[in-house]
Amino acid sequence: MENIEKEVILLTGPPLNGRDEYLEEALEKANGESYAYYHVFDYLKEVGKERGVKITRKNVLDFAINHQDLMNEIRDEAFERIRREIDESDRKFHLVSTPSLFRWGSGSVIGFTLSNLKLLKPNRVIIVLDDVLSVRRRIINDPEWFERFGNDPDNIKLTTLVMWREDAINHVKTLVHELKKEGINVRYVLQFGIRHPSEVFLDLLFREKEKPLVYLSYPMTGHEEEYYHRVRGFYNKLSEHFTVLDPGALDDWWVVAEYDNQVAKNPNVKKIRIKHLLDGNEVDELDREDIEQATEILRRQLVERDFNLVDVSRAIAVYHYAEGVSAGVVSEMAEAYRTLAAIYLYYPFKRRPSPFMEFYGMQNPSRRTMFKNEDEMIRAMVEERDYWTKG
């Protein structure tokens, strides 16, 4: 058997963010790719069965919290089996999917430990995330989970869901930091929203060399439908050549915007009614206080996630089809500059942008220019990609 350079990709994140459903749907389109997929839960069930323990989706949480030592042994054996299968495999890409960390009641369930990751030696970690309102909807539509929340939507707090996300991300960051100290280099940890098209996810997994990572930066709030239509068109054109990361693929901020609108209209409002972004017929009623608490965490998560996407990207494409300067966009350009990413700015207006935007927008490798034509900018990016500084 020829010596294949194998790559192990850990796909993880908080529970109920749609990771496995998204993965399996995307992989149905992965024709001809050399990959193997390891769903850790399947291995837990198998090892458990051999030890006389029946592990099911319904009982796994209670079992993991109440019988921690036994669960740790079962999990360690599951990872050892996966490692053996990877070693014996003739596939190039090895996708290992499991939740990260999950606090429930008085305990927590750990998806993997430092020793599990030392064994696995992931080259990349992708944290798969969904917006909190969709996670809440997923719980309501799942009888087993809904029962855990007493079959009452009011018990499913956004604050709980944003903390699930926080815990899951922090667990990954901590262990990857420890791995680095052990001399195991994870190329990057990426926070990936499941509103990305599955083709982009497949590019991320399998075609990163041919289609390098590019972050799409654009003013995100307060625009007409036509504006977002243009952004989407540009995204699709850019995706023909690059793996394009879109901050809009995980958007919780519209919940906060809707809260602001309703509180402005009625300062005494107790329940905030929010139409679901992707399903306008569904209306969620959320406690005002809950949104206020969640917003404090969401605000930080949004900034950290967008910077994370910039940090892993080799270039940033700024689509500034708006004359007013966006603080978020300028901040992302500054972060790209700090991390040595090439910066391309599409700004089709006669009026000069702010000096900061102009300075950062001219940091592409050769032309030192802002672009008034979006196709010309994409052409420049394709021609110059070999000159990008960031490895």
Side-chain angles (χ1 to χ4, degrees), residues 205-222:
L205 293 179
F206 305 126
R207 294 183 277 277
E208 204 190 325
K209 282 192 171 70
E210 303 81 39
K211 298 178 83 171
L213 269 58
V214 168
Y215 178 75
L216 178 63
S217 177
Y218 54 99
M220 284 184 68
T221 49

Side-chain angles (χ1 to χ4, degrees), residues 192-257:
F192 187 84
I194 67 169
R195 301 284 167 234
H196 281 97
S198 51
E199 292 76 12
V200 172
F201 183 61
L202 295 176
D203 284 343
L204 172 67
L205 293 179
F206 305 126
R207 294 183 277 277
E208 204 190 325
K209 282 192 171 70
E210 303 81 39
K211 298 178 83 171
L213 269 58
V214 168
Y215 178 75
L216 178 63
S217 177
Y218 54 99
M220 284 184 68
T221 49
H223 300 284
E224 300 299 318
E225 189 59 39
E226 187 256 350
Y227 167 86
Y228 295 108
H229 190 67
R230 284 191 67 118
V231 172
R232 181 57 41 205
F234 180 74
Y235 179 90
N236 292 338
K237 283 194 278 190
L238 197 59
S239 293
E240 290 172 25
H241 308 281
F242 303 102
T243 301
V244 188
L245 300 174
D246 175 10
L250 178 64
D251 185 12
D252 299 297
W253 204 246
W254 56 277
V255 176
V256 179

Side-chain angles (χ1 to χ4, degrees), residues 73-88:
E73 286 174 27
I74 291 171
R75 190 189 54 240
D76 290 350
E77 174 61 26
F79 273 94
E80 280 165 25
R81 287 186 189 185
I82 290 169
R83 180 70 254 179
R84 282 199 295 275
E85 286 185 30
I86 292 172
D87 291 340
E88 290 163 9

Side-chain angles (χ1 to χ4, degrees), residues 97-333:
S97 175
T98 189
S100 166
L101 170 74
F102 178 38
R103 296 189 203 285
W104 181 252
S106 59
S108 55
V109 181
I110 293 169
F112 43 82
T113 62
L114 181 60
S115 61
N116 298 149
L117 290 196
K118 278 164 75 173
L119 188 69
L120 200 61
K121 294 188 178 67
N123 302 84
R124 299 184 264 162
V125 179
I126 298 172
I127 300 173
V128 182
L129 299 168
D130 200 0
D131 67 84
V132 285
L133 222 53
S134 294
V135 175
R136 188 174 181 275
R137 180 70 49 79
R138 204 172 276 120
I139 293 168
I140 292 169
N141 291 333
D142 183 322
E144 285 176 13
W145 271 99
F146 199 35
E147 194 184 322
R148 286 195 177 108
F149 282 92
N151 292 316
D152 183 353
D154 285 348
N155 292 338
I156 311 168
K157 303 294 185 193
L158 292 194
T159 315
T160 305
L161 306 184
V162 294
M163 285 312 299
W164 282 3
R165 185 192 288 171
E166 188 86 351
D167 289 339
I169 292 170
N170 286 342
H171 185 61
V172 171
K173 283 182 179 173
T174 302
L175 295 193
V176 166
H177 180 70
E178 292 301 316
L179 279 181
K180 208 172 185 179
K181 290 201 285 196
E182 303 268 350
I184 298 170
N185 186 37
V186 176
R187 209 160 80 239
Y188 58 69
V189 173
L190 168 59
Q191 296 180 36
F192 187 84
I194 67 169
R195 301 284 167 234
H196 281 97
S198 51
E199 292 76 12
V200 172
F201 183 61
L202 295 176
D203 284 343
L204 172 67
L205 293 179
F206 305 126
R207 294 183 277 277
E208 204 190 325
K209 282 192 171 70
E210 303 81 39
K211 298 178 83 171
L213 269 58
V214 168
Y215 178 75
L216 178 63
S217 177
Y218 54 99
M220 284 184 68
T221 49
H223 300 284
E224 300 299 318
E225 189 59 39
E226 187 256 350
Y227 167 86
Y228 295 108
H229 190 67
R230 284 191 67 118
V231 172
R232 181 57 41 205
F234 180 74
Y235 179 90
N236 292 338
K237 283 194 278 190
L238 197 59
S239 293
E240 290 172 25
H241 308 281
F242 303 102
T243 301
V244 188
L245 300 174
D246 175 10
L250 178 64
D251 185 12
D252 299 297
W253 204 246
W254 56 277
V255 176
V256 179
E258 196 52 49
Y259 160 86
D260 287 342
N261 289 340
Q262 291 183 34
V263 170
K265 282 181 194 158
N266 175 9
N268 300 316
V269 69
K270 291 277 185 284
K271 288 274 190 188
I272 306 294
R273 289 172 57 80
I274 299 184
K275 274 190 177 180
H276 195 260
L277 189 67
L278 297 163
D279 181 1
N281 301 322
E282 294 279 356
V283 175
D284 292 285
E285 284 206 343
L286 302 168
D287 286 335
R288 170 185 179 156
E289 212 172 283
D290 180 32
I291 296 181
E292 285 168 354
Q293 285 181 330
T295 298
E296 291 307 307
I297 310 167
L298 281 174
R299 185 192 301 276
R300 189 185 67 255
Q301 285 182 347
L302 180 142
V303 174
E304 285 178 357
R305 185 191 67 250
D306 287 0
F307 279 2
N308 167 257
L309 297 180
V310 172
D311 294 348
V312 302
S313 298
R314 292 189 57 214
I316 170 175
V318 181
Y319 192 80
H320 213 291
Y321 189 68
E323 281 202 69
V325 174
S326 158
V329 168
V330 174
S331 301
E332 288 164 356
M333 292 169 88

